[in-house]
Amino acid sequence: MVASTWTRRHIISLADFTIAEYDIVLQTAASFQEVLSRPTKKVPTLQGRVVANLFFEPSTRTRNSFELAAKRLSADTLTFAPGSSSLTKGETILDTALTYLAMGTDIMVIRHQHAGVPQAIAQEMERVGSQVSVLNAGDGQHEHPSQALLDLFTLCCVLDPDQPRASLMQGKKVAIVGDILHSRVARSNLWSLITCGAEVHLAAPPTLLPEFFRSWGAPLEEAGARSPLHLHWSLEPALADADFVMTLRLQKERMTQYLFPTLREYHRSFGITHDRLKHCKSTVKVLHPGPVNRGIEISSELMDDPRLSLISQQVSSGVAVRMALLYLIGSGKVGDGKS
Amino acid sequence: MSSELLQNVRVLNPASETDRVADVLIVDGIVKTIAPQVTEMPFETQIQPCEGLILGPGLVDLYSHSGEPGFEARETLDSLLSAAASGGFTRIAILPDTLPAIDNPGNLAWLQQKFREVRNQSKTLDKPISLPHPYFWGALTLNTKGQQMTELRELAAAGVVGFADGQPLQNLALIRRLLEYGQPLHKPLALWACNLDLVGNGVVRDGVIATQLGLPGNPTIAETSSLASLLEIIATFDTPLHLMRISTARGVELIQAAKAKGLPITASTTWMHLLFNDEALQSYNPNLRLEPPLGDRQDQIALIQAVQQGILDGIAIDHTPYAYEEKTVAFTEAPPGVIGLELALPLLWEHLVATGTLSALELWRALSTQPAQCLHQTPATLAIGQPAELTLFDPHCAWKAETQTLKSLSSNTPWLGQPIAGRVVRIWCPG
């Protein structure tokens, strides 16, 4: 069983994930995707275990995806909603986490609007000597590991539906377009795609793509190898011969921070349309982590074009990948660890 | 009569560039003798063997925050002074951002009276302890809001040590008038160069680390563009200006150039900026959330060198207490600042002097005599016939920073729970 080589307790960041770990996630997700295609889409893997979804920041799709993943594994789930919580009564985030620990939680899935909170809770869990695992479901502008892993799974399934594996990404050109500066999805994808050997091209106006992003590619440059990371302030060179295009959500309030003049100019310069994709390989596919601003970062027609858009595959892959992650970090605590 | 003999103590006196081992005899609060071996002393002199200990002029803190009045759960004047005494400080200058602010003589008088009560109380203890002397910065603007000038003449007459808000002033017209109006008062003005528009929502120094950690960046130019403006304005006036919280390598260059031109400025950084850079932020520890934020490694090196070369006159502690629940939040939401009065000397010694980065005299000067000069005060000196305003420090006394061991009511420090290699033995404070 592949899980026997899995040693990671928490999943906070993809910065130190290895190719072997990506392969384990991809293989495990593939087996759960097979489960999800059965008439009875449920396995007893995490029966009797408690998965708490602590979503300090509002979220619909990620929270539901994790909740469904946990339920498909037969775990009991708890959901934390900040509006009705004790946070407004003066409780700290660590108090909240310790409360869920006291309820017997085994895995905490944490979403927070500020970077570093899942890491702080993981450290607190270790400090108090508990065995709880923490899974980062998106923290501020830092990381969104499960999104990047489901993106990787989606891409690898396009390349080989029967045997998705990290090596398939070797040399593939992936363009990431949009508000990279504020995107946790982009940061996690940078770690995973570069580690798996993809050639990553980032495209955005300079205000949304500072030079500091070169640091993701730096170690390879230092080693004398060609950097697999390229930064562009215009769209065309990023799209030229691309295998995949990832678009990112643009939050409209960025305009008031002097980051770009108008949504119109943004769409005309960096919006992805059928026409723009002519620069890419003929087999190109488009991804978006959702929710989409139709007509801003991607045209409505393209989003709805099943030949090119992988958006709905991303959502369905999400459940299988999150089942895999819950299984991998939870299986050490469920006896034989078989799925 | 009281008489104490400190035997074989390492005497540091920046004023005379002295660093040697000697016996020091203190009689009735006056340094009577400093000699390789003191044999003549009053009857009943207490003799203390001090091998390995360090004796220097008392430390002077340029700016720290008091919780009292207004935030007594964070710190009272009593706990602040106890913490300062434990850290080796004989003088501390307190920022006016209390609630109410020190923006009128009445509020200043209240704090001075409070200090007298604390001091009198300390004298009634079984073992009376020396307390440092507090000095108070008067606010430049009402409520330190950066809008309307306080009654600077009245505050000067009431005895403030100088003027500061402790917050970045944004209105250059107001800054110009403050410097102009302050000329006849002969008190230092302390300003923090920081453009809040450029800071935006930044919480760490903009750069590779900020980008990888997904923390909003505060660019270097937020400090340097504001600093350049202030230096242009000060060139027109004679008002002595102290530039607080310099945190960048480029800031050091600007200060150096301005001093070379002969501008009437002094400058300081904080002890935290000398000990950390942004690489430490990987932990997302809210106790590393500072304003200005930690710089990168180059900034840290430039700041240490600037202290060594005297481009930066002083190392400020900028002690900023916060209660547990205020600081136990996401890094981005944490209020900036940490405590430091009890920790600064031992940790600066361990990380800068013990490693050979700074000499003992260079560190001691930046923590004692030069801060006193920034405040326009006569620095303490360890010399025969002078009042004993002294700090005795044991660089090898191991202890652990914990809520029980710290005198401060707050424990917002990244060293909480960590072993510390040195500890202040005691201070002598005149009066």
Side-chain angles (χ1 to χ4, degrees):
Chain A
M1 188 71 210
V2 285
S4 62
T5 56
W6 185 268
T7 54
R8 195 177 287 270
R9 172 173 163 184
H10 310 291
I11 299 174
I12 307 288
S13 158
L14 298 184
D16 60 349
F17 255 61
T18 61
I19 296 254
E21 287 177 300
Y22 288 117
D23 274 331
I24 293 172
V25 171
L26 294 172
Q27 288 170 41
T28 314
S31 65
F32 282 123
Q33 196 162 46
E34 188 275 318
V35 168
L36 292 173
S37 67
R38 296 177 197 163
T40 305
K41 302 175 174 62
K42 201 160 181 168
V43 288
T45 313
L46 294 185
Q47 201 158 39
R49 302 282 134 180
V50 179
V51 175
N53 285 314
L54 308 185
F55 277 61
F56 296 91
E57 179 187 64
S59 154
T60 309
R61 65 186 66 207
T62 303
R63 198 190 70 217
N64 282 334
S65 182
F66 269 110
E67 198 162 323
L68 188 57
K71 285 178 171 155
R72 293 277 188 247
L73 293 168
S74 305
D76 295 320
T77 60
L78 297 170
T79 300
F80 168 87
S84 58
S85 77
S86 302
L87 282 181
T88 48
K89 299 171 190 165
E91 183 172 284
T92 71
I93 42 175
L94 297 184
D95 295 333
T96 307
L98 291 171
T99 302
Y100 280 84
L101 171 66
M103 288 185 209
T105 296
D106 298 289
I107 298 175
M108 291 184 190
V109 178
I110 297 169
R111 157 76 61 99
H112 199 283
Q113 62 270 35
H114 294 304
V117 170
Q119 184 174 316
I121 292 177
Q123 283 163 355
E124 180 70 2
M125 291 300 122
E126 292 182 13
R127 192 186 67 78
V128 301
S130 92
Q131 294 299 309
V132 165
S133 289
V134 171
L135 211 161
N136 179 4
D139 63 329
Q141 297 164 16
H142 177 222
E143 287 220 37
H144 195 347
S146 67
Q147 179 70 42
L149 292 168
L150 75 87
D151 288 343
L152 183 67
F153 183 70
T154 307
L155 297 177
C156 291
C157 284
V158 169
L159 296 167
D160 185 349
D162 297 326
Q163 213 186 334
R165 59 197 182 277
S167 58
L168 293 167
M169 293 308 297
Q170 190 71 43
K172 291 288 179 285
K173 178 169 175 178
V174 182
I176 303 180
V177 181
D179 184 1
I180 292 159
L181 174 62
H182 300 99
S183 176
R184 54 192 173 210
V185 175
R187 284 174 175 80
S188 286
N189 265 303
L190 274 167
W191 293 122
S192 60
L193 293 171
I194 288 175
T195 302
C196 294
E199 188 181 302
V200 182
H201 291 251
L202 304 176
T207 45
L208 299 177
L209 180 54
E211 282 288 308
F212 305 127
F213 275 91
R214 285 197 197 282
S215 61
W216 264 264
L220 280 174
E221 276 181 330
E222 283 166 13
R226 193 167 68 99
S227 168
L229 179 63
H230 305 264
L231 274 58
H232 306 283
W233 291 341
S234 61
L235 196 50
E236 285 69 26
L239 296 189
D241 294 318
D243 294 281
F244 299 104
V245 178
M246 287 185 176
T247 57
L248 300 170
R249 180 177 171 79
L250 182 80
Q251 291 183 353
K252 292 172 187 169
E253 62 265 26
R254 301 300 176 206
M255 250 190 324
T256 60
Q257 299 164 354
Y258 320 115
L259 291 168
F260 59 93
T262 61
L263 292 172
R264 177 178 174 277
E265 175 160 303
Y266 181 83
H267 179 67
R268 287 168 70 92
S269 310
F270 292 96
I272 305 294
T273 61
H274 277 101
D275 192 43
R276 290 262 163 70
L277 291 182
K278 285 175 186 156
H279 300 280
C280 305
K281 289 217 174 90
S282 58
T283 53
V284 70
K285 302 284 181 196
V286 178
L287 298 90
H288 191 297
V292 175
N293 288 304
R294 285 175 178 264
I296 297 175
E297 62 260 13
I298 185 169
S299 68
S300 253
E301 300 76 33
L302 179 56
M303 183 183 163
D304 297 332
D305 183 344
R307 289 179 306 116
L308 293 167
S309 167
L310 292 174
I311 294 173
S312 61
Q313 282 95 316
Q314 285 174 279
V315 176
S316 55
S317 297
V319 179
V321 168
R322 289 178 174 123
M323 286 173 77
L325 299 180
L326 292 172
Y327 164 72
L328 289 169
I329 59 175
S331 64
K333 300 159 210 156
V334 286
D336 61 9
K338 286 177 186 161
S339 66
Chain B
M1 188 179 76
S2 79
S3 177
E4 295 168 272
L5 178 67
L6 308 179
Q7 278 183 323
N8 291 318
V9 71
R10 181 175 168 191
V11 173
L12 289 181
N13 191 30
S16 59
E17 295 281 318
T18 307
D19 180 355
R20 64 181 170 121
V21 175
D23 288 358
V24 178
L25 180 67
I26 303 166
V27 180
D28 287 338
I30 303 290
V31 176
K32 280 286 176 211
T33 319
I34 304 174
Q37 205 169 10
V38 174
T39 47
E40 287 184 24
M41 65 195 86
F43 188 65
E44 287 188 349
T45 293
Q46 286 187 339
I47 297 175
Q48 188 177 351
C50 290
E51 283 86 4
L53 305 192
I54 288 142
L55 185 70
L59 306 187
V60 179
D61 181 28
L62 278 165
Y63 38 89
S64 277
H65 300 265
S66 170
E68 187 173 11
F71 308 98
E72 290 81 359
R74 296 176 186 165
E75 202 81 279
T76 61
L77 196 59
D78 190 359
S79 66
L80 182 75
L81 293 173
S82 299
S86 294
F89 290 86
T90 54
R91 308 178 198 182
I92 62 169
I94 294 170
L95 287 167
D97 58 348
T98 46
L99 187 69
I102 312 173
D103 61 1
N104 65 70
N107 292 350
L108 176 68
W110 186 88
L111 271 161
Q112 287 166 332
Q113 175 58 28
K114 187 79 193 172
F115 165 61
R116 285 190 285 273
E117 289 168 20
V118 170
R119 189 180 53 189
N120 293 339
Q121 211 162 22
S122 75
K123 284 179 180 163
T124 63
L125 296 174
D126 293 342
K127 284 175 70 180
I129 52 164
S130 277
L131 285 181
H133 195 290
Y135 297 87
F136 298 95
W137 291 96
L140 284 163
T141 65
L142 287 179
N143 282 319
T144 68
K145 293 288 183 215
Q147 286 165 356
Q148 194 185 334
M149 218 187 270
T150 55
E151 294 177 337
L152 300 176
R153 279 175 184 266
E154 302 269 320
L155 279 164
V160 295
V161 70
F163 296 99
D165 269 2
Q167 301 295 324
L169 288 176
Q170 298 301 291
N171 184 331
L172 290 182
L174 174 62
I175 291 170
R176 174 198 166 188
R177 295 306 184 197
L178 285 166
L179 287 166
E180 196 173 11
Y181 188 88
Q183 287 176 106
L185 304 179
H186 304 293
K187 298 265 183 191
L189 258 67
L191 294 179
W192 171 12
C194 174
N195 181 305
L196 293 176
D197 286 331
L198 286 168
V199 170
N201 62 352
V203 293
V204 294
R205 178 67 70 226
D206 208 8
V208 167
I209 305 266
T211 306
Q212 291 204 347
L213 294 178
L215 291 169
N218 165 345
T220 297
I221 52 169
E223 171 170 302
T224 56
S225 64
S226 172
L227 184 55
S229 300
L230 289 179
L231 292 171
E232 279 299 311
I233 296 172
I234 189 62
T236 349
F237 304 105
D238 291 329
T239 319
L241 181 63
H242 180 78
L243 293 151
M244 313 165 72
R245 300 181 179 132
I246 298 297
S247 69
T248 62
R250 175 65 187 146
V252 168
E253 286 178 4
L254 290 169
I255 298 281
Q256 185 174 23
K259 283 188 164 184
K261 277 200 303 186
L263 295 190
I265 58 166
T266 56
S268 58
T269 187
T270 87
W271 72 294
M272 288 290 286
H273 290 85
L274 298 179
L275 292 179
F276 285 106
N277 62 54
D278 60 0
E279 289 163 32
L281 297 169
Q282 310 275 359
S283 64
Y284 291 99
N285 186 339
N287 289 319
L288 292 170
R289 162 99 171 88
L290 305 174
E291 286 293 352
L294 294 170
D296 62 20
R297 188 176 285 271
Q298 274 65 46
D299 291 321
Q300 185 190 11
I301 292 168
L303 292 170
I304 293 171
Q305 287 173 346
V307 167
Q308 189 166 35
Q309 296 161 5
I311 299 164
L312 294 179
D313 302 84
I315 302 169
I317 308 307
D318 211 0
H319 179 91
T320 310
Y322 281 107
Y324 169 83
E325 62 276 13
E326 294 178 290
K327 205 66 169 169
T328 311
V329 292
F331 184 94
T332 311
E333 291 179 312
V338 293
I339 60 164
L341 286 167
E342 296 164 83
L343 300 166
L345 174 63
L347 288 159
L348 288 167
W349 188 278
E350 180 184 350
H351 293 278
L352 297 180
V353 177
T355 55
T357 310
L358 290 183
S359 75
L361 278 173
E362 284 163 351
L363 176 68
W364 212 276
R365 181 183 296 125
L367 282 170
S368 63
T369 50
Q370 287 182 173
Q373 284 162 347
C374 294
L375 296 172
H376 294 198
Q377 295 178 340
T378 307
T381 178
L382 177 39
I384 296 167
Q386 293 294 319
E389 182 178 346
L390 303 171
T391 296
L392 184 64
F393 172 57
D394 180 354
H396 302 295
C397 173
W399 62 291
K400 209 180 217 185
E402 286 174 309
T403 47
Q404 301 87 342
T405 55
L406 292 167
K407 296 274 194 286
S408 174
L409 294 184
S410 293
S411 47
N412 53 309
T413 165
W415 274 286
L416 190 67
Q418 303 293 314
I420 313 283
R423 197 162 202 183
V424 168
V425 180
R426 62 168 291 194
I427 59 168
W428 286 260
C429 224

